[in-house]
Amino acid sequence: MTKNTKLYFIGIIALITVTIGLAFVTKNSFTGDYDLNKIKKQYNLENFVYFNIEDSEYFNESISSLDELEKSSDLIVKVKPDDGKLFYNSIERPVKIIDIYSDKDSLKKGDTIYIQEPFSISYLKGMESMSSEKGYVLMNSNQEYIIFLKHLDKVDGYKYKGNEKITYVPVSTRLSKYCRQERPLLVKESKIDSGKLYYKDFKSSSAIFIKADEWDKYNSISSQVYDKYR
């Protein structure tokens, strides 16, 4: 083996080693190694800037009525959230079922299920920010929520493993979650685009809206939800 060939292979091995190392650091920086409560204690989340992701197609954003919301749901429950684990683009929250309104999975009051919230937190120095899909707002542990859920998507023939069977996602980012103590927040899109919306501005809101007609629709559906589900 010539000297140049040896140097070539040494360079390739070094590159692979550095790549693996960077991948490991990135993984541990962004995914489920940290509990949500630990992050809240270590960082001042109040002043984290919010960014909105509008291009997701995973959620049903065409819903316009409570009836459509109900028909799109695998589970309608009232829950109280616990601590969560951070992943790259979501936060997994164990929640305790307080009441069940519609259920296809034979659950019962007091059961714990898991909800993948489409909300993420970046706490690396210089990158302190939050983002969510289409105005979703993270649940607060001191509140109770009426929430409309669906199972994780899966391909035909796949069988859920472990907790996947009791892991859900909101049907819609903005229209799935209701809390009597929280109100939807209507803000100008320019405020988000300019980086002037902070966690302290919306942490007690049910969802973030940038269009008045969608904000009105949420308020209309929420009144029906509170009348029907007590």
Side-chain angles (χ1 to χ4, degrees), residues 151-165:
H151 281 293
L152 298 172
D153 284 350
K154 64 182 180 71
V155 297
D156 291 341
Y158 178 81
K159 292 185 178 180
Y160 291 121
K161 300 175 182 176
N163 285 334
E164 290 177 348
K165 188 175 181 179

Side-chain angles (χ1 to χ4, degrees), residues 48-50 185 187 191-192 195-199 201-202 208:
F48 275 37
V49 177
Y50 173 76
L185 178 66
V187 298
K191 185 172 184 177
I192 298 176
K196 295 181 179 179
L197 183 65
Y198 303 94
Y199 184 54
D201 299 324
F202 66 85
I208 299 169

Side-chain angles (χ1 to χ4, degrees), residues 31-195:
T31 64
D33 284 344
Y34 287 98
D35 293 333
L36 179 60
N37 283 346
K38 184 181 293 185
I39 297 302
K40 287 181 176 180
K41 291 177 181 178
Q42 291 180 346
Y43 300 90
N44 180 19
L45 300 184
E46 298 280 300
N47 295 316
F48 275 37
V49 177
Y50 173 76
F51 296 100
N52 190 35
I53 302 171
E54 282 287 331
D55 59 355
S56 173
E57 297 182 357
Y58 187 82
F59 302 91
N60 186 349
E61 307 302 346
S62 65
I63 290 172
S64 60
S65 68
L66 177 57
D67 182 61
E68 291 178 1
L69 186 58
E70 291 170 333
K71 289 178 179 177
S72 300
S73 301
D74 294 317
L75 181 65
I76 306 172
V77 285
K78 180 185 288 186
V79 300
K80 185 174 180 59
D82 202 342
D83 189 21
K85 278 199 173 295
L86 275 66
F87 291 85
Y88 179 72
N89 58 1
S90 67
I91 295 178
E92 184 182 79
R93 303 289 295 278
V95 301
K96 182 179 179 181
I97 296 177
I98 298 172
D99 211 342
I100 300 175
Y101 308 111
S102 179
D103 172 27
K104 299 178 181 178
D105 300 314
S106 301
L107 295 166
K108 59 182 182 294
K109 294 180 184 180
D111 282 352
T112 294
I113 60 173
Y114 298 87
I115 299 177
Q116 289 284 347
E117 297 194 80
F119 193 98
S120 61
I121 301 173
S122 173
Y123 48 85
L124 295 181
K125 188 174 182 179
M127 297 175 60
E128 297 89 347
S129 63
M130 297 177 168
S131 61
S132 73
E133 300 198 24
K134 298 187 176 181
Y136 184 90
V137 174
L138 193 66
M139 290 186 289
N140 290 300
S141 297
N142 62 335
Q143 300 291 0
E144 296 179 357
Y145 296 88
I146 297 171
I147 189 163
F148 297 76
L149 302 168
K150 65 177 183 177
H151 281 293
L152 298 172
D153 284 350
K154 64 182 180 71
V155 297
D156 291 341
Y158 178 81
K159 292 185 178 180
Y160 291 121
K161 300 175 182 176
N163 285 334
E164 290 177 348
K165 188 175 181 179
I166 53 171
T167 300
Y168 300 81
V169 294
V171 171
S172 163
T173 55
R174 292 187 174 107
L175 299 178
S176 289
K177 178 165 58 70
Y178 299 87
C179 174
R180 293 181 183 275
Q181 285 69 43
E182 297 178 354
R183 296 292 180 266
L185 178 66
L186 180 62
V187 298
K188 292 183 178 179
E189 188 172 9
S190 59
K191 185 172 184 177
I192 298 176
D193 293 342
S194 61

